[in-house]
Amino acid sequence: MFMRLNLKHLYSIKTLSILKSYRLAANELCISQPALSKQIKSFEDFHGIEVFIRNSSGVDLSDDGKKLIDEINTFIDHAIKLEGYISQISEKSAASLHVGFGTSSKDMLPNYLREFNKKISITLYDLPSFKQEEQLISGLLDIGFMRKPISQDLDSIKISSDELVFVLPKGLLQGESIDFYLKNEDLLLINDSGKSQMNRDIMNAISSCEYKKRFIKTDIETIITLVSSNTGFTILPKKSIKDNHKDIIIIPFEHDTSFDLFLVWNKNRNFKPINDFIHYMKNKIDYL
């Protein structure tokens, strides 16, 4: 049976269901509002259902939309995973490295990879630490920039550190204490099936406080977009926040929330590009 689903339309539905605003969703998708409206209407007309209902503040999912959204999100997640898996298999060769990185390592990667990238092809994958660990063990990844690994099959060296910070919209900041915002505003967190070390660290950092948490199945950039639009506030690694966000305020914790980042590899693999990269990185770190 020929599949008639358009993945671009499904992703637009997912984004609009999160942001509840055609303007914010179109901006997030880098398309015009009329183009987004056309995509949604095309999906609704083709399938004979109404996914969204307009209201005074934007849009909400209809009853049919609420029935569909979890399946749409799952379908998109599987499509992205499959595409990445196919890409890794098709591109993997002796002349390439597959490198995973997390939100806190984005600032260091360009400097670390610029010189080595002239010698060998490097493909990057934006993955949380627990997924990097799984793929390092399976062989889908060659190198990881991540938290300290758990598996005894993986070796690591410390390369950097980061810290958790509060991220508030400028319009929300009224000079109150952080406890005030925790009690009265929604704490937006990424829903990741409970495996994320970042979420565990966040919960530990505010364990003595009262708070209202709200899990959202999305990514860090979308969470920041929601914070910018006064939907709530969040807690993130400082290095994961780009400098071009002008509508947010970053506030450090009063207590230590720092954590270490590591270069990680599977010590059971004997693959020359991996060994060369580790040797290069050790020299780079010693020099720094």
Side-chain angles (χ1 to χ4, degrees):
M1 181 179 178
F2 180 71
M3 181 174 289
R4 296 175 293 179
L5 291 174
N6 186 316
L7 189 59
K8 181 168 64 175
H9 292 176
L10 295 180
Y11 194 77
S12 294
I13 291 171
K14 173 183 178 178
T15 304
L16 184 55
S17 72
I18 294 170
L19 297 179
K20 300 183 184 300
S21 162
Y22 273 92
R23 179 181 62 82
L24 292 175
N27 183 61
E28 179 72 14
L29 295 166
C30 298
I31 60 176
S32 66
Q33 289 188 53
L36 176 59
S37 296
K38 185 177 179 180
Q39 287 183 15
I40 301 300
K41 188 175 188 305
S42 175
F43 180 92
E44 292 179 328
D45 290 347
F46 185 84
H47 295 283
I49 58 175
E50 185 179 41
V51 182
F52 292 99
I53 298 174
R54 290 183 180 272
N55 56 42
S56 58
S57 61
V59 294
D60 277 320
L61 287 167
S62 67
D63 288 343
D64 286 341
K66 291 174 182 177
K67 295 174 184 176
L68 286 174
I69 195 62
D70 285 343
E71 292 299 326
I72 288 174
N73 289 338
T74 299
F75 184 88
I76 291 171
D77 290 344
H78 280 296
I80 293 172
K81 183 177 181 180
L82 176 61
E83 185 176 40
Y85 187 73
I86 293 171
S87 175
Q88 289 180 53
I89 292 174
S90 65
E91 295 176 5
K92 199 161 183 68
S93 69
S96 67
L97 273 177
H98 295 260
V99 179
F101 68 97
T103 57
S104 294
S105 53
K106 291 179 180 179
D107 68 317
M108 70 180 78
L109 278 176
N111 291 331
Y112 283 161
L113 300 181
R114 188 176 293 114
E115 180 182 341
F116 192 83
N117 203 27
K118 297 177 182 178
K119 304 175 184 179
I120 194 169
S121 173
I122 295 178
T123 305
L124 298 175
Y125 302 93
D126 187 352
L127 298 167
S129 291
F130 74 90
K131 288 187 178 179
Q132 288 191 56
E133 180 153 350
E134 291 172 356
Q135 295 194 18
L136 284 166
I137 293 171
S138 70
L140 288 174
L141 278 183
D142 301 312
I143 296 290
F145 288 82
M146 52 178 281
R147 302 291 191 97
K148 181 75 173 177
I150 298 173
S151 172
Q152 297 300 311
D153 291 327
L154 303 180
D155 209 346
S156 64
I157 52 175
K158 179 183 173 182
I159 54 173
S160 184
S161 60
D162 199 356
E163 63 176 320
L164 295 175
V165 293
F166 291 98
V167 185
L168 285 77
K170 284 186 176 179
L172 182 64
L173 189 65
Q174 301 294 333
E176 303 289 349
S177 68
I178 291 299
D179 284 346
F180 172 84
Y181 300 110
L182 285 168
K183 290 178 182 177
N184 295 281
E185 303 294 338
D186 284 337
L187 170 59
L188 308 180
L189 298 173
I190 296 175
N191 188 357
D192 51 25
S193 304
K195 293 183 179 180
S196 167
Q197 183 62 48
M198 181 179 75
N199 274 0
R200 289 198 292 270
D201 287 347
I202 291 172
M203 292 297 97
N204 287 335
I206 59 174
S207 60
S208 62
C209 305
E210 295 181 30
Y211 54 86
K212 301 189 302 178
K213 63 183 177 182
R214 175 181 165 195
F215 285 106
I216 300 176
K217 197 168 187 179
T218 185
D219 53 37
I220 283 179
E221 280 304 302
T222 305
I223 287 281
I224 293 176
T225 299
L226 289 169
V227 170
S228 300
S229 62
N230 285 323
T231 304
F233 74 102
T234 190
I235 299 172
L236 293 173
K238 186 176 182 180
K239 292 181 179 178
S240 70
I241 305 168
K242 296 179 181 178
D243 294 333
N244 60 352
H245 291 291
K246 305 301 182 184
D247 298 323
I248 60 174
I249 297 290
I250 296 173
I251 302 176
F253 278 80
E254 293 182 356
H255 57 278
D256 182 27
T257 60
S258 63
F259 55 90
D260 294 328
L261 301 168
F262 295 82
L263 172 71
V264 183
W265 65 94
N266 190 329
K267 61 186 179 184
N268 297 318
R269 295 184 62 192
N270 187 16
F271 184 44
K272 187 176 185 300
I274 296 178
N275 297 334
D276 289 346
F277 187 80
I278 294 169
H279 178 73
Y280 159 78
M281 283 297 299
K282 286 181 176 178
N283 289 337
K284 189 83 171 175
I285 294 167
D286 289 342
Y287 175 77
L288 295 174

